[in-house]
Short mmCIF file of all heavy atoms in Angstrom, two decimals:
data_model
loop_
_atom_site.label_atom_id
_atom_site.label_comp_id
_atom_site.label_asym_id
_atom_site.label_seq_id
_atom_site.Cartn_x
_atom_site.Cartn_y
_atom_site.Cartn_z
N ILE A 63 -2.87 3.57 -9.80
CA ILE A 63 -1.63 4.14 -9.23
C ILE A 63 -1.02 3.22 -8.16
O ILE A 63 0.16 3.27 -7.92
CB ILE A 63 -1.82 5.56 -8.69
CG1 ILE A 63 -2.82 5.63 -7.54
CG2 ILE A 63 -2.24 6.50 -9.80
CD1 ILE A 63 -2.91 7.00 -6.89
N ASN A 64 -1.85 2.41 -7.55
CA ASN A 64 -1.38 1.54 -6.48
C ASN A 64 -0.44 0.44 -7.02
O ASN A 64 0.55 0.09 -6.36
CB ASN A 64 -2.58 0.92 -5.75
CG ASN A 64 -2.26 0.47 -4.38
OD1 ASN A 64 -1.51 1.11 -3.65
ND2 ASN A 64 -2.85 -0.64 -3.98
N LEU A 65 -0.73 -0.08 -8.19
CA LEU A 65 0.05 -1.18 -8.75
C LEU A 65 1.52 -0.81 -8.95
O LEU A 65 2.42 -1.58 -8.63
CB LEU A 65 -0.56 -1.67 -10.06
CG LEU A 65 0.10 -2.88 -10.70
CD1 LEU A 65 0.11 -4.07 -9.73
CD2 LEU A 65 -0.59 -3.24 -11.99
N ALA A 66 1.76 0.39 -9.44
CA ALA A 66 3.14 0.83 -9.68
C ALA A 66 3.90 0.89 -8.36
O ALA A 66 5.10 0.53 -8.29
CB ALA A 66 3.16 2.18 -10.38
N ALA A 67 3.26 1.38 -7.31
CA ALA A 67 3.93 1.49 -6.00
C ALA A 67 4.23 0.08 -5.43
O ALA A 67 5.31 -0.15 -4.89
CB ALA A 67 3.04 2.26 -5.04
N ILE A 68 3.29 -0.83 -5.58
CA ILE A 68 3.53 -2.20 -5.12
C ILE A 68 4.71 -2.82 -5.90
O ILE A 68 5.57 -3.46 -5.30
CB ILE A 68 2.27 -3.05 -5.25
CG1 ILE A 68 1.21 -2.59 -4.24
CG2 ILE A 68 2.56 -4.53 -5.09
CD1 ILE A 68 -0.17 -3.22 -4.43
N ASN A 69 4.74 -2.59 -7.19
CA ASN A 69 5.84 -3.14 -7.99
C ASN A 69 7.19 -2.60 -7.57
O ASN A 69 8.19 -3.30 -7.65
CB ASN A 69 5.59 -2.91 -9.48
CG ASN A 69 4.52 -3.85 -10.02
OD1 ASN A 69 4.25 -4.90 -9.43
ND2 ASN A 69 3.93 -3.50 -11.15
N THR A 70 7.26 -1.36 -7.13
CA THR A 70 8.51 -0.79 -6.62
C THR A 70 9.03 -1.62 -5.47
O THR A 70 10.22 -1.88 -5.38
CB THR A 70 8.31 0.67 -6.18
OG1 THR A 70 7.90 1.44 -7.31
CG2 THR A 70 9.58 1.27 -5.60
N ILE A 71 8.14 -2.03 -4.60
CA ILE A 71 8.54 -2.82 -3.44
C ILE A 71 8.94 -4.24 -3.85
O ILE A 71 10.00 -4.71 -3.49
CB ILE A 71 7.41 -2.87 -2.38
CG1 ILE A 71 7.14 -1.47 -1.83
CG2 ILE A 71 7.75 -3.84 -1.25
CD1 ILE A 71 5.89 -1.33 -1.01
N VAL A 72 8.08 -4.89 -4.62
CA VAL A 72 8.37 -6.30 -4.96
C VAL A 72 9.58 -6.44 -5.88
O VAL A 72 10.20 -7.48 -5.92
CB VAL A 72 7.15 -7.03 -5.54
CG1 VAL A 72 6.00 -7.01 -4.58
CG2 VAL A 72 6.74 -6.51 -6.88
N ASP A 73 9.92 -5.37 -6.61
CA ASP A 73 11.10 -5.42 -7.48
C ASP A 73 12.39 -5.15 -6.74
O ASP A 73 13.49 -5.30 -7.34
CB ASP A 73 10.96 -4.40 -8.63
CG ASP A 73 9.89 -4.80 -9.66
OD1 ASP A 73 9.52 -5.99 -9.67
OD2 ASP A 73 9.46 -3.93 -10.42
N ASP A 74 12.34 -4.77 -5.47
CA ASP A 74 13.55 -4.50 -4.71
C ASP A 74 14.28 -5.84 -4.46
O ASP A 74 13.75 -6.71 -3.75
CB ASP A 74 13.19 -3.84 -3.38
CG ASP A 74 14.40 -3.34 -2.61
OD1 ASP A 74 15.49 -3.96 -2.71
OD2 ASP A 74 14.27 -2.35 -1.87
N PRO A 75 15.48 -6.01 -5.00
CA PRO A 75 16.16 -7.31 -4.88
C PRO A 75 16.49 -7.67 -3.42
O PRO A 75 16.61 -8.86 -3.09
CB PRO A 75 17.44 -7.14 -5.71
CG PRO A 75 17.61 -5.68 -5.91
CD PRO A 75 16.26 -5.05 -5.76
N GLU A 76 16.61 -6.68 -2.55
CA GLU A 76 16.93 -6.98 -1.14
C GLU A 76 15.78 -7.66 -0.42
O GLU A 76 15.99 -8.37 0.56
CB GLU A 76 17.31 -5.68 -0.42
CG GLU A 76 18.64 -5.11 -0.87
CD GLU A 76 18.97 -3.82 -0.13
OE1 GLU A 76 18.47 -3.63 1.01
OE2 GLU A 76 19.71 -3.02 -0.70
N LEU A 77 14.54 -7.49 -0.90
CA LEU A 77 13.39 -8.12 -0.28
C LEU A 77 13.44 -9.63 -0.46
O LEU A 77 13.02 -10.40 0.43
CB LEU A 77 12.10 -7.56 -0.88
CG LEU A 77 10.78 -8.15 -0.39
CD1 LEU A 77 10.62 -7.97 1.13
CD2 LEU A 77 9.60 -7.55 -1.13
N GLY A 78 13.96 -10.10 -1.57
CA GLY A 78 14.09 -11.52 -1.82
C GLY A 78 12.84 -12.15 -2.37
O GLY A 78 12.60 -13.36 -2.19
N LEU A 79 11.99 -11.40 -3.07
CA LEU A 79 10.74 -11.92 -3.58
C LEU A 79 10.95 -12.48 -4.98
O LEU A 79 11.49 -11.81 -5.86
CB LEU A 79 9.70 -10.81 -3.61
CG LEU A 79 8.26 -11.19 -3.92
CD1 LEU A 79 7.33 -10.30 -3.14
CD2 LEU A 79 7.97 -11.11 -5.39
N ASP A 80 10.52 -13.72 -5.19
CA ASP A 80 10.56 -14.35 -6.50
C ASP A 80 9.23 -14.08 -7.18
O ASP A 80 8.22 -14.70 -6.88
CB ASP A 80 10.81 -15.86 -6.34
CG ASP A 80 10.85 -16.60 -7.67
OD1 ASP A 80 10.56 -15.99 -8.73
OD2 ASP A 80 11.15 -17.81 -7.66
N TYR A 81 9.23 -13.10 -8.09
CA TYR A 81 7.99 -12.66 -8.74
C TYR A 81 7.27 -13.78 -9.46
O TYR A 81 6.05 -13.79 -9.53
CB TYR A 81 8.34 -11.51 -9.71
CG TYR A 81 7.13 -10.73 -10.16
CD1 TYR A 81 6.61 -9.71 -9.40
CD2 TYR A 81 6.50 -11.00 -11.40
CE1 TYR A 81 5.51 -8.97 -9.80
CE2 TYR A 81 5.40 -10.27 -11.80
CZ TYR A 81 4.90 -9.26 -11.00
OH TYR A 81 3.81 -8.56 -11.41
N SER A 82 8.01 -14.74 -9.96
CA SER A 82 7.39 -15.84 -10.69
C SER A 82 6.56 -16.74 -9.78
O SER A 82 5.74 -17.52 -10.26
CB SER A 82 8.44 -16.67 -11.42
OG SER A 82 9.22 -17.43 -10.48
N ARG A 83 6.72 -16.62 -8.47
CA ARG A 83 6.00 -17.43 -7.50
C ARG A 83 4.91 -16.62 -6.78
O ARG A 83 4.26 -17.12 -5.88
CB ARG A 83 6.96 -18.05 -6.50
CG ARG A 83 8.02 -18.90 -7.19
CD ARG A 83 8.83 -19.71 -6.22
NE ARG A 83 8.05 -20.78 -5.61
CZ ARG A 83 7.71 -21.91 -6.18
NH1 ARG A 83 8.07 -22.14 -7.42
NH2 ARG A 83 7.02 -22.82 -5.54
N MET A 84 4.74 -15.36 -7.17
CA MET A 84 3.82 -14.46 -6.46
C MET A 84 2.42 -14.50 -7.09
O MET A 84 2.26 -14.53 -8.29
CB MET A 84 4.34 -13.02 -6.51
CG MET A 84 3.51 -12.07 -5.68
SD MET A 84 4.10 -10.37 -5.82
CE MET A 84 3.27 -9.86 -7.32
N VAL A 85 1.42 -14.49 -6.21
CA VAL A 85 0.03 -14.34 -6.61
C VAL A 85 -0.61 -13.27 -5.74
O VAL A 85 -0.15 -13.00 -4.63
CB VAL A 85 -0.78 -15.67 -6.52
CG1 VAL A 85 -0.25 -16.69 -7.50
CG2 VAL A 85 -0.78 -16.21 -5.11
N HIS A 86 -1.67 -12.68 -6.28
CA HIS A 86 -2.39 -11.65 -5.55
C HIS A 86 -3.34 -12.32 -4.57
O HIS A 86 -4.16 -13.12 -4.97
CB HIS A 86 -3.16 -10.79 -6.54
CG HIS A 86 -3.67 -9.52 -6.00
ND1 HIS A 86 -3.10 -8.32 -6.33
CD2 HIS A 86 -4.65 -9.24 -5.13
CE1 HIS A 86 -3.77 -7.34 -5.71
NE2 HIS A 86 -4.70 -7.90 -4.97
N GLY A 87 -3.22 -12.03 -3.29
CA GLY A 87 -4.05 -12.69 -2.29
C GLY A 87 -5.31 -11.93 -1.92
O GLY A 87 -6.37 -12.51 -1.81
N ASP A 88 -5.20 -10.61 -1.75
CA ASP A 88 -6.33 -9.83 -1.26
C ASP A 88 -6.05 -8.37 -1.57
O ASP A 88 -4.92 -7.95 -1.70
CB ASP A 88 -6.50 -10.05 0.22
CG ASP A 88 -7.79 -9.44 0.79
OD1 ASP A 88 -8.78 -9.35 0.03
OD2 ASP A 88 -7.80 -9.10 1.97
N GLN A 89 -7.13 -7.59 -1.67
CA GLN A 89 -6.99 -6.14 -1.86
C GLN A 89 -8.21 -5.45 -1.28
O GLN A 89 -9.34 -5.97 -1.35
CB GLN A 89 -6.88 -5.80 -3.34
CG GLN A 89 -6.58 -4.34 -3.57
CD GLN A 89 -5.91 -4.10 -4.89
OE1 GLN A 89 -5.77 -4.98 -5.72
NE2 GLN A 89 -5.48 -2.89 -5.11
N SER A 90 -7.98 -4.30 -0.66
CA SER A 90 -9.10 -3.53 -0.12
C SER A 90 -8.83 -2.03 -0.30
O SER A 90 -7.71 -1.59 -0.43
CB SER A 90 -9.33 -3.86 1.36
OG SER A 90 -8.23 -3.41 2.14
N PHE A 91 -9.95 -1.28 -0.29
CA PHE A 91 -9.90 0.17 -0.43
C PHE A 91 -10.79 0.76 0.65
O PHE A 91 -11.95 0.37 0.76
CB PHE A 91 -10.43 0.62 -1.80
CG PHE A 91 -9.65 0.05 -2.96
CD1 PHE A 91 -9.94 -1.21 -3.46
CD2 PHE A 91 -8.64 0.79 -3.54
CE1 PHE A 91 -9.23 -1.71 -4.54
CE2 PHE A 91 -7.93 0.28 -4.62
CZ PHE A 91 -8.22 -0.98 -5.11
N ARG A 92 -10.26 1.69 1.44
CA ARG A 92 -11.07 2.42 2.41
C ARG A 92 -11.03 3.90 2.03
O ARG A 92 -10.03 4.59 2.24
CB ARG A 92 -10.56 2.22 3.83
CG ARG A 92 -11.55 2.74 4.89
CD ARG A 92 -11.02 2.60 6.31
NE ARG A 92 -10.11 3.70 6.56
CZ ARG A 92 -8.85 3.57 6.98
NH1 ARG A 92 -8.34 2.39 7.21
NH2 ARG A 92 -8.09 4.62 7.17
N HIS A 93 -12.11 4.37 1.41
CA HIS A 93 -12.16 5.72 0.88
C HIS A 93 -12.61 6.72 1.96
O HIS A 93 -13.55 6.47 2.68
CB HIS A 93 -13.15 5.79 -0.29
CG HIS A 93 -12.65 5.09 -1.50
ND1 HIS A 93 -11.94 5.71 -2.49
CD2 HIS A 93 -12.75 3.78 -1.89
CE1 HIS A 93 -11.63 4.85 -3.42
NE2 HIS A 93 -12.11 3.66 -3.09
N THR A 94 -11.93 7.87 1.98
CA THR A 94 -12.35 9.00 2.79
C THR A 94 -13.39 9.81 2.01
O THR A 94 -14.32 10.36 2.58
CB THR A 94 -11.14 9.88 3.15
OG1 THR A 94 -10.16 9.04 3.78
CG2 THR A 94 -11.51 11.00 4.09
N ARG A 95 -13.18 9.85 0.70
CA ARG A 95 -14.11 10.52 -0.21
C ARG A 95 -13.89 9.91 -1.60
O ARG A 95 -12.88 9.27 -1.86
CB ARG A 95 -13.88 12.03 -0.24
CG ARG A 95 -12.52 12.42 -0.83
CD ARG A 95 -12.55 13.86 -1.27
NE ARG A 95 -11.29 14.37 -1.75
CZ ARG A 95 -10.83 14.22 -2.99
NH1 ARG A 95 -11.49 13.50 -3.89
NH2 ARG A 95 -9.69 14.77 -3.37
N PRO A 96 -14.85 10.12 -2.51
CA PRO A 96 -14.68 9.58 -3.87
C PRO A 96 -13.50 10.28 -4.59
O PRO A 96 -13.20 11.43 -4.33
CB PRO A 96 -15.99 9.90 -4.58
CG PRO A 96 -16.96 10.18 -3.50
CD PRO A 96 -16.16 10.72 -2.34
N VAL A 97 -12.87 9.54 -5.48
CA VAL A 97 -11.87 10.11 -6.37
C VAL A 97 -12.62 10.84 -7.47
O VAL A 97 -13.58 10.31 -8.02
CB VAL A 97 -10.97 9.00 -6.96
CG1 VAL A 97 -10.03 9.56 -8.01
CG2 VAL A 97 -10.19 8.31 -5.85
N ARG A 98 -12.17 12.08 -7.77
CA ARG A 98 -12.87 12.90 -8.75
C ARG A 98 -11.95 13.30 -9.91
O ARG A 98 -10.74 13.45 -9.71
CB ARG A 98 -13.38 14.18 -8.08
CG ARG A 98 -14.21 13.94 -6.85
CD ARG A 98 -14.69 15.22 -6.23
NE ARG A 98 -13.66 15.93 -5.50
CZ ARG A 98 -13.69 16.13 -4.16
NH1 ARG A 98 -14.70 15.67 -3.44
NH2 ARG A 98 -12.72 16.79 -3.59
N ALA A 99 -12.53 13.48 -11.06
CA ALA A 99 -11.77 14.05 -12.17
C ALA A 99 -11.18 15.38 -11.71
O ALA A 99 -11.85 16.17 -11.06
CB ALA A 99 -12.66 14.26 -13.39
N GLY A 100 -9.93 15.60 -12.03
CA GLY A 100 -9.24 16.83 -11.62
C GLY A 100 -8.39 16.64 -10.38
O GLY A 100 -7.55 17.49 -10.08
N ASP A 101 -8.59 15.56 -9.64
CA ASP A 101 -7.75 15.30 -8.48
C ASP A 101 -6.29 15.14 -8.90
O ASP A 101 -6.00 14.57 -9.95
CB ASP A 101 -8.17 14.01 -7.75
CG ASP A 101 -9.33 14.20 -6.78
OD1 ASP A 101 -9.62 15.37 -6.39
OD2 ASP A 101 -9.95 13.19 -6.41
N ARG A 102 -5.41 15.63 -8.06
CA ARG A 102 -3.97 15.41 -8.21
C ARG A 102 -3.56 14.60 -6.98
O ARG A 102 -3.55 15.13 -5.86
CB ARG A 102 -3.23 16.73 -8.29
CG ARG A 102 -3.58 17.52 -9.56
CD ARG A 102 -2.95 18.89 -9.61
NE ARG A 102 -1.56 18.94 -9.22
CZ ARG A 102 -0.51 18.65 -10.02
NH1 ARG A 102 -0.71 18.29 -11.25
NH2 ARG A 102 0.71 18.72 -9.56
N LEU A 103 -3.26 13.32 -7.20
CA LEU A 103 -3.07 12.38 -6.10
C LEU A 103 -1.62 11.97 -5.94
O LEU A 103 -0.88 11.84 -6.92
CB LEU A 103 -3.92 11.14 -6.35
CG LEU A 103 -5.41 11.36 -6.52
CD1 LEU A 103 -6.11 10.05 -6.87
CD2 LEU A 103 -6.02 12.00 -5.29
N GLN A 104 -1.25 11.75 -4.67
CA GLN A 104 0.06 11.21 -4.35
C GLN A 104 -0.12 10.00 -3.46
O GLN A 104 -1.07 9.94 -2.65
CB GLN A 104 0.93 12.25 -3.66
CG GLN A 104 1.33 13.38 -4.60
CD GLN A 104 2.46 14.20 -4.04
OE1 GLN A 104 2.54 14.42 -2.85
NE2 GLN A 104 3.36 14.61 -4.91
N LEU A 105 0.81 9.07 -3.58
CA LEU A 105 0.72 7.80 -2.87
C LEU A 105 2.01 7.55 -2.08
O LEU A 105 3.09 7.58 -2.64
CB LEU A 105 0.50 6.66 -3.87
CG LEU A 105 0.62 5.24 -3.39
CD1 LEU A 105 -0.45 4.90 -2.38
CD2 LEU A 105 0.55 4.28 -4.58
N THR A 106 1.83 7.31 -0.79
CA THR A 106 2.95 6.85 0.07
C THR A 106 2.65 5.39 0.38
O THR A 106 1.51 5.06 0.78
CB THR A 106 3.04 7.66 1.36
OG1 THR A 106 3.21 9.04 1.01
CG2 THR A 106 4.21 7.21 2.20
N THR A 107 3.62 4.54 0.19
CA THR A 107 3.41 3.10 0.37
C THR A 107 4.20 2.59 1.56
O THR A 107 5.31 3.06 1.82
CB THR A 107 3.84 2.34 -0.91
OG1 THR A 107 3.25 3.00 -2.04
CG2 THR A 107 3.39 0.91 -0.89
N PHE A 108 3.63 1.64 2.28
CA PHE A 108 4.25 1.07 3.47
C PHE A 108 4.22 -0.45 3.40
O PHE A 108 3.23 -1.05 2.97
CB PHE A 108 3.46 1.49 4.73
CG PHE A 108 3.36 2.96 4.91
CD1 PHE A 108 2.35 3.68 4.32
CD2 PHE A 108 4.27 3.65 5.70
CE1 PHE A 108 2.23 5.05 4.47
CE2 PHE A 108 4.18 5.01 5.87
CZ PHE A 108 3.17 5.73 5.26
N VAL A 109 5.30 -1.08 3.84
CA VAL A 109 5.31 -2.52 4.05
C VAL A 109 4.75 -2.73 5.44
O VAL A 109 5.40 -2.37 6.42
CB VAL A 109 6.70 -3.14 3.90
CG1 VAL A 109 6.67 -4.64 4.22
CG2 VAL A 109 7.26 -2.90 2.50
N GLU A 110 3.54 -3.21 5.50
CA GLU A 110 2.84 -3.32 6.77
C GLU A 110 3.17 -4.60 7.52
O GLU A 110 3.27 -4.61 8.73
CB GLU A 110 1.34 -3.21 6.52
CG GLU A 110 0.55 -2.92 7.76
CD GLU A 110 -0.85 -2.45 7.42
OE1 GLU A 110 -1.69 -3.30 7.09
OE2 GLU A 110 -1.09 -1.24 7.45
N ASP A 111 3.35 -5.69 6.77
CA ASP A 111 3.59 -6.97 7.45
C ASP A 111 4.21 -7.95 6.46
O ASP A 111 3.95 -7.90 5.26
CB ASP A 111 2.29 -7.54 8.01
CG ASP A 111 2.52 -8.67 9.01
OD1 ASP A 111 3.64 -8.76 9.57
OD2 ASP A 111 1.59 -9.45 9.23
N ILE A 112 5.00 -8.84 7.01
CA ILE A 112 5.55 -10.00 6.27
C ILE A 112 5.44 -11.18 7.22
O ILE A 112 5.92 -11.11 8.36
CB ILE A 112 7.02 -9.79 5.87
CG1 ILE A 112 7.15 -8.61 4.91
CG2 ILE A 112 7.59 -11.08 5.24
CD1 ILE A 112 8.61 -8.22 4.58
N MET A 113 4.80 -12.25 6.76
CA MET A 113 4.72 -13.44 7.62
C MET A 113 4.81 -14.67 6.74
O MET A 113 4.56 -14.63 5.54
CB MET A 113 3.44 -13.44 8.44
CG MET A 113 2.18 -13.56 7.67
SD MET A 113 0.77 -13.55 8.77
CE MET A 113 -0.46 -12.86 7.68
N THR A 114 5.15 -15.78 7.39
CA THR A 114 5.23 -17.05 6.70
C THR A 114 4.21 -17.98 7.32
O THR A 114 4.10 -18.08 8.55
CB THR A 114 6.65 -17.66 6.83
OG1 THR A 114 7.59 -16.72 6.28
CG2 THR A 114 6.76 -18.96 6.12
N ARG A 115 3.45 -18.67 6.46
CA ARG A 115 2.45 -19.64 6.87
C ARG A 115 2.48 -20.82 5.90
O ARG A 115 2.42 -20.60 4.69
CB ARG A 115 1.06 -19.02 6.83
CG ARG A 115 0.39 -18.95 8.18
CD ARG A 115 -1.06 -18.53 8.05
NE ARG A 115 -1.16 -17.12 8.37
CZ ARG A 115 -2.03 -16.29 7.89
NH1 ARG A 115 -2.94 -16.68 7.04
NH2 ARG A 115 -2.04 -15.03 8.24
N ALA A 116 2.56 -22.01 6.43
CA ALA A 116 2.55 -23.21 5.61
C ALA A 116 3.54 -23.15 4.47
O ALA A 116 3.25 -23.58 3.35
CB ALA A 116 1.13 -23.49 5.10
N GLY A 117 4.71 -22.58 4.72
CA GLY A 117 5.75 -22.50 3.70
C GLY A 117 5.60 -21.39 2.68
O GLY A 117 6.42 -21.26 1.79
N ASN A 118 4.52 -20.59 2.80
CA ASN A 118 4.30 -19.47 1.89
C ASN A 118 4.53 -18.15 2.63
O ASN A 118 4.22 -18.04 3.80
CB ASN A 118 2.86 -19.49 1.36
CG ASN A 118 2.56 -20.75 0.61
OD1 ASN A 118 3.28 -21.14 -0.31
ND2 ASN A 118 1.48 -21.40 0.97
N ASP A 119 5.09 -17.17 1.90
CA ASP A 119 5.28 -15.85 2.48
C ASP A 119 4.11 -14.94 2.10
O ASP A 119 3.61 -15.00 0.97
CB ASP A 119 6.57 -15.19 1.94
CG ASP A 119 7.81 -15.82 2.53
OD1 ASP A 119 7.79 -16.19 3.73
OD2 ASP A 119 8.81 -15.96 1.79
#
Side-chain angles (χ1 to χ4, degrees):
I63 62 173
N64 203 38
L65 184 58
I68 290 172
N69 285 339
T70 298
I71 296 169
V72 301
D73 289 343
D74 189 329
E76 291 180 25
L77 177 60
L79 189 146
D80 179 353
Y81 195 83
S82 70
R83 302 190 69 76
M84 185 184 85
V85 294
H86 194 107
D88 189 28
Q89 186 156 8
S90 67
F91 300 85
R92 192 183 79 235
H93 290 268
T94 305
R95 66 161 176 83
V97 173
R98 306 180 284 245
D101 276 343
R102 295 175 44 82
L103 303 175
Q104 291 195 323
L105 169 65
T106 302
T107 312
F108 302 86
V109 176
E110 197 164 79
D111 195 21
I112 297 173
M113 66 179 152
T114 302
R115 243 189 260 151
N118 300 308
D119 287 323

